[in-house]
Amino acid sequence: MALDHKIRTIGVLTSGGDAPGMNAAIRAVVRTAISKGLNVQGIRRGYHGLLREEIISLTARDVSDTIQRGGTILQTARCHSMRSVEGQRKAAGILKKYGIEGLVVIGGDGSFAGAQTLSNLGINTIGIPGTIDLDIACTEFTIGFDTAVNTAMQAIDKVRDTSTSHERCSIIEVMGRDAGYLALWCGIANGAERIIMPEEHGYDEDAIVEDIKANRERGKKHYIIINAEGVGDSMNMAKRIEERTGMETRATILGHMQRGGSPTCKDRVYASIMGVKAVELLCEGKTNRVVGYRHGEYIDFDIDEALDMKKEIPEDQIKAAEILAL
Ligand code: F6P
């Protein structure tokens, strides 16, 4: 359902887990909208805040000095009420009450599902992929992944130093929910001996134990395992490995530190361009679209199509990681 007149007021919200670079996207949405003569309303705390009418006017100055800041200036939340028809209708009603005809939703797949229902209820919606997990199928880039993977990489380098000094095995658990991208990238970037990812549906602990023993015989001073949170169980894994190999083993769960910090250049720039594109799409009367980046280009997809897409970790990247761990 498209609007039959030029859009006058748009809203912007961040939803789900925060991701560094979300502020660059908000800033781009606000400034692009203002440059086109639109009013912009910021919705605080995602859909949760929308249902509570936490809506504030945003000016170009309100987003000054934010591009370099981690987190999201609009705050974010996970909202169960948006899964119910009642919640969705209420949200659409509130947006209409505030004259918000177009909405930019910065978040992950769950947030786009909310945008999809709002679009069906007559609000033009555009999604921007924001998650450190990189688990949105229609795009090769999601806001926050680049910063998070660099943060995790630097932390793992530090664990590696102490692991080498003590000649230990270190299991380092990275975030990613059900996706192994953070684990794979850190595994390659940190030169890990093993990467364990949920996409592989299980791992061979016997093989790891044998590999640790063989590595020790070859004189290797540490054994780094990057474990994805989707596999988890790092503490127990450490106990078992220590018992079976005799090599002291420690588990480190990096946790939420991976979501914080000043965004990298890539996250700032891509997020900014996606923010501009989202507003342009709204001005063209488009709805139910999600902005993405594929094969060197910024593109947009129908949200229904985007949510149906599947994304696998390329087999050759997993192979490359295995070869390099020799
Ligand atoms: O989706 C981003 C993410 O950080 C995941 O990697 C992780 O599983 C989840 O969010 C943690 O969510 P919360 O902050 O709600 O505990």
Side-chain angles (χ1 to χ4, degrees), residues 78 131-133 175-177 229 256 259:
R78 303 192 193 277
T131 166
I132 65 161
D133 302 336
M175 275 190 166
R177 199 179 291 278
E229 108 176 299
H256 286 83
R259 284 224 305 250

PDB file of all heavy atoms in Angstrom, residues 78 131-133 175-177 229 256 259, ligand 1:
ATOM      1  N   ARG A  78      14.059  -4.761  23.140  1.00  0.00           N
ATOM      2  CA  ARG A  78      13.409  -5.877  22.448  1.00  0.00           C
ATOM      3  C   ARG A  78      11.947  -5.847  22.917  1.00  0.00           C
ATOM      4  O   ARG A  78      11.694  -5.692  24.104  1.00  0.00           O
ATOM      5  CB  ARG A  78      14.068  -7.199  22.834  1.00  0.00           C
ATOM      6  CG  ARG A  78      15.569  -7.208  22.534  1.00  0.00           C
ATOM      7  CD  ARG A  78      16.154  -8.592  22.652  1.00  0.00           C
ATOM      8  NE  ARG A  78      17.609  -8.561  22.674  1.00  0.00           N
ATOM      9  CZ  ARG A  78      18.388  -8.487  21.589  1.00  0.00           C
ATOM     10  NH1 ARG A  78      17.834  -8.409  20.382  1.00  0.00           N
ATOM     11  NH2 ARG A  78      19.701  -8.490  21.687  1.00  0.00           N
ATOM     12  N   THR A 131      23.100  -4.888  13.184  1.00  0.00           N
ATOM     13  CA  THR A 131      23.376  -5.954  14.157  1.00  0.00           C
ATOM     14  C   THR A 131      24.842  -6.354  14.047  1.00  0.00           C
ATOM     15  O   THR A 131      25.381  -6.438  12.939  1.00  0.00           O
ATOM     16  CB  THR A 131      22.498  -7.205  13.934  1.00  0.00           C
ATOM     17  OG1 THR A 131      23.059  -8.283  14.706  1.00  0.00           O
ATOM     18  CG2 THR A 131      22.411  -7.656  12.500  1.00  0.00           C
ATOM     19  N   ILE A 132      25.450  -6.634  15.204  1.00  0.00           N
ATOM     20  CA  ILE A 132      26.848  -7.078  15.166  1.00  0.00           C
ATOM     21  C   ILE A 132      26.967  -8.505  14.658  1.00  0.00           C
ATOM     22  O   ILE A 132      28.064  -8.982  14.408  1.00  0.00           O
ATOM     23  CB  ILE A 132      27.517  -6.972  16.564  1.00  0.00           C
ATOM     24  CG1 ILE A 132      26.866  -7.930  17.578  1.00  0.00           C
ATOM     25  CG2 ILE A 132      27.526  -5.550  17.066  1.00  0.00           C
ATOM     26  CD1 ILE A 132      27.742  -8.219  18.791  1.00  0.00           C
ATOM     27  N   ASP A 133      25.842  -9.213  14.506  1.00  0.00           N
ATOM     28  CA  ASP A 133      25.895 -10.644  14.174  1.00  0.00           C
ATOM     29  C   ASP A 133      26.101 -10.925  12.679  1.00  0.00           C
ATOM     30  O   ASP A 133      26.405 -12.056  12.320  1.00  0.00           O
ATOM     31  CB  ASP A 133      24.603 -11.349  14.626  1.00  0.00           C
ATOM     32  CG  ASP A 133      24.351 -11.209  16.113  1.00  0.00           C
ATOM     33  OD1 ASP A 133      25.319 -10.991  16.858  1.00  0.00           O
ATOM     34  OD2 ASP A 133      23.179 -11.307  16.530  1.00  0.00           O
ATOM     35  N   MET A 175      30.234 -13.352  20.547  1.00  0.00           N
ATOM     36  CA  MET A 175      28.780 -13.259  20.332  1.00  0.00           C
ATOM     37  C   MET A 175      28.402 -13.709  18.917  1.00  0.00           C
ATOM     38  O   MET A 175      29.245 -14.174  18.161  1.00  0.00           O
ATOM     39  CB  MET A 175      28.315 -11.829  20.576  1.00  0.00           C
ATOM     40  CG  MET A 175      28.024 -11.528  22.024  1.00  0.00           C
ATOM     41  SD  MET A 175      27.211  -9.922  22.157  1.00  0.00           S
ATOM     42  CE  MET A 175      26.621 -10.016  23.842  1.00  0.00           C
ATOM     43  N   GLY A 176      27.159 -13.501  18.554  1.00  0.00           N
ATOM     44  CA  GLY A 176      26.707 -13.851  17.211  1.00  0.00           C
ATOM     45  C   GLY A 176      25.362 -14.554  17.183  1.00  0.00           C
ATOM     46  O   GLY A 176      24.876 -14.928  16.128  1.00  0.00           O
ATOM     47  N   ARG A 177      24.792 -14.751  18.343  1.00  0.00           N
ATOM     48  CA  ARG A 177      23.510 -15.481  18.471  1.00  0.00           C
ATOM     49  C   ARG A 177      23.621 -16.830  17.770  1.00  0.00           C
ATOM     50  O   ARG A 177      24.488 -17.606  18.135  1.00  0.00           O
ATOM     51  CB  ARG A 177      22.356 -14.649  17.900  1.00  0.00           C
ATOM     52  CG  ARG A 177      21.002 -15.101  18.402  1.00  0.00           C
ATOM     53  CD  ARG A 177      19.904 -14.239  17.823  1.00  0.00           C
ATOM     54  NE  ARG A 177      19.927 -12.889  18.337  1.00  0.00           N
ATOM     55  CZ  ARG A 177      19.392 -12.529  19.507  1.00  0.00           C
ATOM     56  NH1 ARG A 177      18.777 -13.412  20.237  1.00  0.00           N
ATOM     57  NH2 ARG A 177      19.450 -11.284  19.920  1.00  0.00           N
ATOM     58  N   GLU A 229      28.971 -18.120  20.387  1.00  0.00           N
ATOM     59  CA  GLU A 229      27.974 -18.220  21.465  1.00  0.00           C
ATOM     60  C   GLU A 229      26.833 -19.169  21.103  1.00  0.00           C
ATOM     61  O   GLU A 229      26.235 -19.790  21.975  1.00  0.00           O
ATOM     62  CB  GLU A 229      27.461 -16.808  21.822  1.00  0.00           C
ATOM     63  CG  GLU A 229      26.090 -16.497  21.391  1.00  0.00           C
ATOM     64  CD  GLU A 229      25.548 -15.150  21.831  1.00  0.00           C
ATOM     65  OE1 GLU A 229      25.442 -14.891  23.035  1.00  0.00           O
ATOM     66  OE2 GLU A 229      25.213 -14.365  20.941  1.00  0.00           O
ATOM     67  N   HIS A 256      29.211  -8.568  26.296  1.00  0.00           N
ATOM     68  CA  HIS A 256      28.671  -7.329  25.737  1.00  0.00           C
ATOM     69  C   HIS A 256      29.713  -6.272  25.399  1.00  0.00           C
ATOM     70  O   HIS A 256      29.383  -5.295  24.730  1.00  0.00           O
ATOM     71  CB  HIS A 256      27.614  -6.750  26.685  1.00  0.00           C
ATOM     72  CG  HIS A 256      26.338  -7.526  26.646  1.00  0.00           C
ATOM     73  ND1 HIS A 256      26.147  -8.679  27.373  1.00  0.00           N
ATOM     74  CD2 HIS A 256      25.208  -7.335  25.924  1.00  0.00           C
ATOM     75  CE1 HIS A 256      24.946  -9.163  27.114  1.00  0.00           C
ATOM     76  NE2 HIS A 256      24.350  -8.370  26.246  1.00  0.00           N
ATOM     77  N   ARG A 259      29.718  -5.221  21.859  1.00  0.00           N
ATOM     78  CA  ARG A 259      28.681  -4.364  21.263  1.00  0.00           C
ATOM     79  C   ARG A 259      28.978  -2.877  21.444  1.00  0.00           C
ATOM     80  O   ARG A 259      28.284  -2.036  20.857  1.00  0.00           O
ATOM     81  CB  ARG A 259      27.323  -4.685  21.889  1.00  0.00           C
ATOM     82  CG  ARG A 259      26.707  -5.965  21.384  1.00  0.00           C
ATOM     83  CD  ARG A 259      25.240  -5.819  21.070  1.00  0.00           C
ATOM     84  NE  ARG A 259      24.432  -5.322  22.133  1.00  0.00           N
ATOM     85  CZ  ARG A 259      23.516  -6.045  22.809  1.00  0.00           C
ATOM     86  NH1 ARG A 259      23.329  -7.307  22.503  1.00  0.00           N
ATOM     87  NH2 ARG A 259      22.804  -5.502  23.744  1.00  0.00           N
TER      88      ARG A 259
HETATM   89  O1  F6P B   1      22.080  -9.613  18.265  1.00  0.00           O
HETATM   90  C1  F6P B   1      23.155  -9.036  18.919  1.00  0.00           C
HETATM   91  C2  F6P B   1      23.498  -9.797  20.167  1.00  0.00           C
HETATM   92  O2  F6P B   1      24.577  -9.164  20.804  1.00  0.00           O
HETATM   93  C3  F6P B   1      23.818 -11.283  19.955  1.00  0.00           C
HETATM   94  O3  F6P B   1      25.113 -11.494  19.486  1.00  0.00           O
HETATM   95  C4  F6P B   1      23.534 -11.837  21.311  1.00  0.00           C
HETATM   96  O4  F6P B   1      23.156 -13.183  21.226  1.00  0.00           O
HETATM   97  C5  F6P B   1      22.400 -11.002  21.801  1.00  0.00           C
HETATM   98  O5  F6P B   1      22.405  -9.807  21.050  1.00  0.00           O
HETATM   99  C6  F6P B   1      22.444 -10.660  23.270  1.00  0.00           C
HETATM  100  O6  F6P B   1      21.299  -9.966  23.580  1.00  0.00           O
HETATM  101  P1  F6P B   1      21.031  -9.213  24.954  1.00  0.00           P
HETATM  102  O7  F6P B   1      21.886  -7.991  24.984  1.00  0.00           O
HETATM  103  O8  F6P B   1      19.590  -8.893  24.913  1.00  0.00           O
HETATM  104  O9  F6P B   1      21.430 -10.157  26.046  1.00  0.00           O
END
